[in-house]
Amino acid sequence: MNVLPTASTLKIDSLRQGKAFGGEIPIINPMVVLYSVNMEVAPMLKVKVFGESDLLLSQVADTLKSLHEKIFLTPPGMTPDEVIESYINSPAEVRKVVIYYDDGKPVGFLCMQRYSIAIDSERVNVFRSQAGLLEKYRKYNVVNFRYMRFIFSEVLFNPGKSYFFAVCIHPSSYRAIVRNAASQNIWPTQGNLASNIAMKKLCAKICCFFDLEAHHRDGVFIHNDGLGPTRGANECQDNINDDAAFFLRKNRGYIHGDGIAVIAKVCIGDMLLRALNQLLRKANRKMHASR
């Protein structure tokens, strides 16, 4: 039985030299890998990408308002305009919005930003995002790879230290970040909560930069942005893995919109290996299904 190798069996140096799978292969084009994975995961969803000049269009604003209302529980007294203000208006260097469509109907969104900030007298890239999918589409891994493509292209043209920062209000978002980063390059996790002091301090500094009212609670930083929790957040979590269980233990207030601040170092090598791994796993499953 022929089984394709997974990316976890490959060495980064081998990929750089164009050597893998026991022989010579052409050097991998990372953008092709990321694009292929995205299309393979959920081919039924169409996307539209809106740049900064498009973000004030009523079409984009109205779609974001509608999607947010369907996906999240907006707190009483908060208007739709106040909700999307944080999505489309920010001091970021680069801003983009992706809308996902199924049969012409919007079913999800992804807002992406790159900031250039000073940390200890050094300029670094900090990436942030806000995303939401209608419940039936959350099983499709569409958001991660679209965002990975954005990060890769921005780092390519803006080299230097780069980090991803998020306030995760649902275990699925936290789990997705942990899955796509090496353990030593992300905080907090179950394994490094108390040991990775450098990343914890960096997380605190970035919270301060964004003026977040982050409370240090049970070893992590908790922040509530006031935009409300995910709909169905208080439902029982079945079949959760260790990462999701860690999130639930540390952030019991997520049902009220509390989020855990998470920082991850952007490593292109890690991103490419995980993207390739996903592609090869899907090729394996497709090959077995056709037998």
Side-chain angles (χ1 to χ4, degrees):
M1 180 174 63
N2 295 324
V3 179
L4 291 170
T6 63
S8 60
T9 65
L10 306 178
K11 299 294 186 182
I12 293 178
D13 289 341
S14 296
L15 290 177
R16 289 173 177 164
Q17 297 168 14
K19 300 176 181 179
F21 310 114
E24 297 288 336
I25 63 171
I27 291 188
I28 296 172
N29 183 330
M31 294 306 292
V32 171
V33 171
L34 296 179
Y35 179 77
S36 299
V37 173
N38 185 59
M39 294 303 293
E40 180 71 15
V41 170
M44 76 292 292
L45 296 185
K46 305 298 182 182
V47 301
K48 288 185 180 179
V49 181
F50 300 92
E52 292 191 43
S53 60
D54 305 316
L55 297 187
L56 297 180
L57 296 176
S58 60
Q59 172 195 359
V60 179
D62 291 344
T63 300
L64 286 174
K65 292 175 189 177
S66 175
L67 284 171
H68 189 279
E69 183 63 27
K70 294 175 181 177
I71 297 169
F72 301 98
L73 290 170
T74 305
M78 178 168 284
T79 68
D81 288 329
E82 290 174 323
V83 168
I84 68 166
E85 179 71 17
S86 61
Y87 291 168
I88 62 178
N89 289 324
S90 74
E93 297 287 323
V94 179
R95 295 174 294 155
K96 290 186 178 181
V97 171
V98 177
I99 305 294
Y100 296 88
Y101 296 86
D102 186 8
D103 196 24
K105 298 179 180 179
V107 298
F109 68 90
L110 169 64
C111 303
M112 307 175 289
Q113 305 95 30
R114 179 183 66 81
Y115 297 82
S116 178
I117 70 176
I119 298 290
D120 296 331
S121 302
E122 181 181 12
R123 302 300 297 185
V124 300
N125 296 315
V126 174
F127 293 91
R128 297 196 68 182
S129 69
Q130 303 82 30
L133 288 168
L134 298 181
E135 187 174 2
K136 66 177 289 188
Y137 299 96
R138 292 172 195 165
K139 62 181 178 180
Y140 299 118
N141 198 9
V142 296
V143 171
N144 286 353
F145 291 100
R146 176 65 60 172
Y147 192 52
M148 287 169 66
R149 290 175 61 189
F150 171 74
I151 291 178
F152 183 88
S153 62
E154 288 297 317
V155 171
L156 189 65
F157 293 103
N158 301 276
K161 287 184 179 180
S162 299
Y163 300 92
F164 172 70
F165 176 76
V167 178
C168 299
I169 65 171
H170 195 272
S172 61
S173 57
Y174 173 78
R175 187 174 58 216
I177 297 171
V178 173
R179 185 172 61 237
N180 287 289
S183 59
Q184 70 273 18
N185 293 328
I186 184 172
W187 186 89
T189 68
Q190 184 170 255
N192 71 7
L193 181 62
S195 60
N196 199 340
I197 303 302
M199 288 292 279
K200 182 176 183 177
K201 290 181 177 179
L202 179 60
C203 186
K205 291 178 180 179
I206 293 179
C207 285
C208 290
F209 174 84
F210 288 110
D211 293 325
L212 303 184
E213 294 182 4
H215 303 281
H216 189 252
R217 187 186 309 162
D218 198 15
V220 300
F221 297 114
I222 301 293
H223 172 70
N224 192 313
D225 61 12
L227 299 181
T230 305
R231 289 187 179 274
N234 59 346
E235 296 176 1
C236 179
Q237 299 291 325
D238 296 322
N239 300 318
I240 60 175
N241 66 6
D242 291 343
D243 295 326
F246 171 80
F247 176 94
L248 293 173
R249 287 197 308 273
K250 295 296 180 179
N251 185 26
R252 298 185 184 278
Y254 84 104
I255 61 174
H256 305 299
D258 286 356
I260 292 182
V262 180
I263 183 74
K265 185 177 181 181
V266 174
C267 298
I268 298 300
D270 288 343
M271 292 171 61
L272 294 180
L273 284 176
R274 280 159 176 76
L276 182 58
N277 189 36
Q278 291 283 340
L279 180 61
L280 294 176
R281 287 180 184 276
K282 290 184 178 298
N284 265 328
R285 289 196 292 268
K286 186 175 182 181
M287 181 176 63
H288 293 320
S290 63
R291 287 178 177 269

